[in-house]
């Protein structure tokens, strides 16, 4: 028997990392807690109750029980059941004019929607453009599909979105690639917690529209955390309407956070395009990508979400349950803002959402200092990400104290 080592993996796949860094940190925190240590785990992006249990919405399971076994067990249409897709479009646009220009395809969570955006709106070898702080899997999705990921500086000195940096980067993309895909995660940006305000949106639209006069520009709005934004009107809808006919706008819609169904993998890629022929081509392309990757999605989950969005009683129940979870999260956000401000921590405007990012001169040093106290956060470039969603309100003081000491230990 030969003992000669033969590499069957193709070279570019031979050195893939074995675990996601965030899940690895979560596993380390879990092991230390199981060993009896008093651990505060602020790493994982799932909304936890103050007693440490996963927050779930009972209305989802009520919707599941109303679906027959035969329906649930059958194949879903490749692009998703029309009742689900129509419900998602109405949920996004609240019956406004954008709905008439929208097409959609079901995806396994918002991640699948990001995948479809990358493979259908960028050529192999081209790069997406996103903020300097971003959700790491954007880069993984791009690399895995033989595309790239480039960033622009996210914040100006005054804390607002740096649309000047975006404009410069976008010019380079248009010049080099002849097209651009801009990925924005708002509201409740992961990892910073930042939500675009009206001024940010106005300047963003101006920049995108100017670039679109030179080349095809697509904007992907990742709205995974939108249901947990600070209450108020959806002013961004009017700004997106200004882009109609100039920029194709995609939405990554996800039930993972909206209905606390992280494991059900229910999402959609929704495209808004003014030109009917282009809109039809996009619909076909999204469906083709579904068939070429996961084929079809969780039928039971999609039918349940469709019921939650269209059945009056179930929708009311789900909104009441989500309001309760939003209040739970809001109490933590307010506590963090009050304590972190008093301790002089530097972080972006934070009004709602699962995460906030605290700036530090050395993220690894801050993380190590905090881990010595049993407090776990995620290191970034020049900051640490804090999962407020997983941190009970009574433990926010401990979290802020550890953050302040960690930043100080890093020389901040």
């Amino acid at each position: 028997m030969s003992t000669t080592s033969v590499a069957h993996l193709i070279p570019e796949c031979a050195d893939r990392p074995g675990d996601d860094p965030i899940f690895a940190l979560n596993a380390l925190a879990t092991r230390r807690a199981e060993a009896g240590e008093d651990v505060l785990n602020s790493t994982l992006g799932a909304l936890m109750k103050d007693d440490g249990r996963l927050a779930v919405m009972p209305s989802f399971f009520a919707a599941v029980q109303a679906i027959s076994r035969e329906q649930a067990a059958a194949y879903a249409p490749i692009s998703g059941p029309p009742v689900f897709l129509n419900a998602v479009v109405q949920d996004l646009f609240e019956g406004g004019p954008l709905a008439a220009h929208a097409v959609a395809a079901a995806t396994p969570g918002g991640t699948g929607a990001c995948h479809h955006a990358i493979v259908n709106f960028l050529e192999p070898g081209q790069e997406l453009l996103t903020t300097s702080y971003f959700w790491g899997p954007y880069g993984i999705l791009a690399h895995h599909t033989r595309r790239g990921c480039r960033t622009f500086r996210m914040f100006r000195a005054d804390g607002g979105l740096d649309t000047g940096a975006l404009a410069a980067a976008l010019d380079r993309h248009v010049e080099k690639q002849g097209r651009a895909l801009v990925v924005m995660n708002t509201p409740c940006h992961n990892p910073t917690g930042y939500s675009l305000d009206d001024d940010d949106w106005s300047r963003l639209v101006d920049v995108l529209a100017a670039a679109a006069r030179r080349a095809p520009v697509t904007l992907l709005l990742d709205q995974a955390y939108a249901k947990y934004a600070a209450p108020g009107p959806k002013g961004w809808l009017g700004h997106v309407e200004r882009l109609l006919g100039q920029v194709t706008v995609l939405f990554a819609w996800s039930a993972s956070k909206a209905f606390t169904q992280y494991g059900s993998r229910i999402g959609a890629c929704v495209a808004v395009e003014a030109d009917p022929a282009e809109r039809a081509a996009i619909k076909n392309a999204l469906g083709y990508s579904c068939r070429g990757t996961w084929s079809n999605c969780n039928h039971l989950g999609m039918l349940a979400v469709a019921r939650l969005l269209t059945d009056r009683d179930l929708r009311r129940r789900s909104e009441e349950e989500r309001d309760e979870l939003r209040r739970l999260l809001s109490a933590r956000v307010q506590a963090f803002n009050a304590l972190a401000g008093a301790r002089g921590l530097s972080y972006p405007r934070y009004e709602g959402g699962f995460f906030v990012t605290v700036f530090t001169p050395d993220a690894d040093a801050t993380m190590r200092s905090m881990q010595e106290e049993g407090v776990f956060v995620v290191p970034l470039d020049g900051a640490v990400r804090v999962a407020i969603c997983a941190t009970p309100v009574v433990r926010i003081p401990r979290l802020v104290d550890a953050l302040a000491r960690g930043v100080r230990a890093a020389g901040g």
Side-chain angles (χ1 to χ4, degrees):
M1 181 176 177
S2 173
T3 58
T4 302
S5 176
V6 177
H8 293 276
L9 280 171
I10 62 174
E12 70 176 290
C13 297
D15 60 350
R16 299 286 199 233
D19 199 1
D20 179 273
I22 296 174
F23 282 84
L25 282 169
N26 176 67
L28 175 60
T30 300
R31 288 195 300 271
R32 285 176 55 172
E34 289 173 346
E37 187 175 345
D38 181 15
V39 164
L40 176 53
N41 184 1
S42 297
T43 63
L44 204 56
L47 183 56
M48 312 297 287
K49 294 182 177 180
D50 279 342
D51 63 6
R53 293 181 299 154
L54 184 69
V56 296
M57 294 170 58
S59 57
F60 178 85
F61 299 97
V64 164
Q65 292 171 358
I67 297 165
S68 73
R69 295 177 181 177
E70 290 77 12
Q71 280 183 299
Y75 281 117
I78 296 298
S79 292
V83 65
F84 167 74
L85 299 176
N86 292 336
V88 168
V89 168
Q90 295 304 314
D91 181 61
L92 263 176
F93 306 130
E94 299 182 339
L98 291 173
H101 302 278
V103 292
T107 62
T111 306
C114 296
H115 170 274
H116 276 11
I118 292 168
V119 300
N120 286 291
F121 293 86
L122 289 175
E123 297 278 1
Q126 293 180 342
E127 297 174 321
L128 66 85
L129 182 61
T130 192
T131 50
S132 52
Y133 292 101
F134 66 96
W135 184 52
Y138 294 155
I140 296 171
L141 288 165
H143 184 262
H144 189 62
T145 56
R146 293 178 169 81
R147 277 81 171 169
C149 178
R150 185 76 62 174
T151 65
F152 66 93
R153 187 177 63 190
M154 184 170 183
F155 298 114
R156 302 188 310 260
D158 65 3
L161 180 70
D162 195 339
T163 47
L166 169 60
L170 197 49
D171 282 345
R172 291 191 293 271
H173 273 234
V174 166
E175 183 69 26
K176 179 181 179 182
Q177 301 182 169
R179 64 172 55 247
L181 171 64
V182 179
V183 181
M184 298 295 296
N185 178 197
T186 188
C188 307
H189 177 261
N190 176 5
T192 68
Y194 189 82
S195 297
L196 301 190
D197 62 16
D198 193 63
D199 180 60
D200 291 329
W201 264 110
S202 182
R203 289 184 291 106
L204 173 65
V205 168
D206 288 344
V207 168
L208 294 174
R213 289 192 284 271
R214 298 173 53 204
V217 174
T218 304
L219 171 65
L220 170 61
L221 291 173
D222 184 348
Q223 294 214 311
Y225 302 91
K227 296 292 188 184
Y228 296 90
K234 288 185 176 180
W236 59 266
L237 286 169
H239 292 289
V240 173
E241 288 172 21
R242 287 177 53 205
L243 291 172
L244 199 61
Q246 303 179 81
V247 172
T248 295
V249 184
L250 309 177
F251 295 83
W253 184 95
S254 175
S256 298
K257 282 77 182 178
F259 293 98
T260 64
Q261 284 300 306
Y262 316 94
S264 294
R265 308 313 302 143
I266 306 157
C269 183
V270 179
V272 174
E273 168 58 50
D275 180 71
E278 179 75 2
R279 192 163 62 241
I282 291 172
K283 181 179 180 181
N284 291 341
L286 295 178
Y288 188 89
S289 290
C290 291
R291 189 51 158 163
T293 47
W294 48 78
S295 192
N296 44 22
C297 291
N298 179 341
H299 202 183
L300 174 60
M302 289 187 290
L303 293 174
V305 168
R307 281 183 176 269
L308 288 167
L309 291 172
T310 59
D311 181 277
R312 181 178 300 176
D313 290 338
L314 280 173
R315 186 178 182 104
R316 176 186 53 77
R317 284 178 57 185
S318 69
E319 288 176 348
E320 289 174 351
E321 291 165 5
R322 191 182 300 111
D323 284 345
E324 182 178 345
L325 297 181
R326 193 184 293 110
R327 286 191 292 270
L328 175 77
L329 185 59
S330 179
R332 299 173 186 176
V333 172
Q334 292 176 32
F336 177 86
N337 281 331
L339 294 171
R343 295 297 296 270
L345 293 176
S346 177
Y347 59 97
R349 184 178 66 236
Y350 183 40
E351 300 165 328
F354 279 31
F355 307 106
V356 66
T357 287
V358 174
F359 300 123
T360 173
D362 187 332
D364 287 335
T366 297
M367 178 188 69
R368 290 192 299 271
S369 170
M370 295 179 71
Q371 285 186 6
E372 290 175 2
E373 300 185 35
V375 181
F376 285 76
V377 294
V378 177
L380 306 172
D381 183 12
V384 290
R385 189 193 80 167
V386 183
I388 296 295
C389 59
T391 309
V393 69
V394 297
R395 308 196 84 183
I396 296 291
R398 177 184 175 188
L399 170 67
V400 172
D401 286 345
L403 280 164
R405 285 189 286 269
V407 171
R408 189 165 59 249

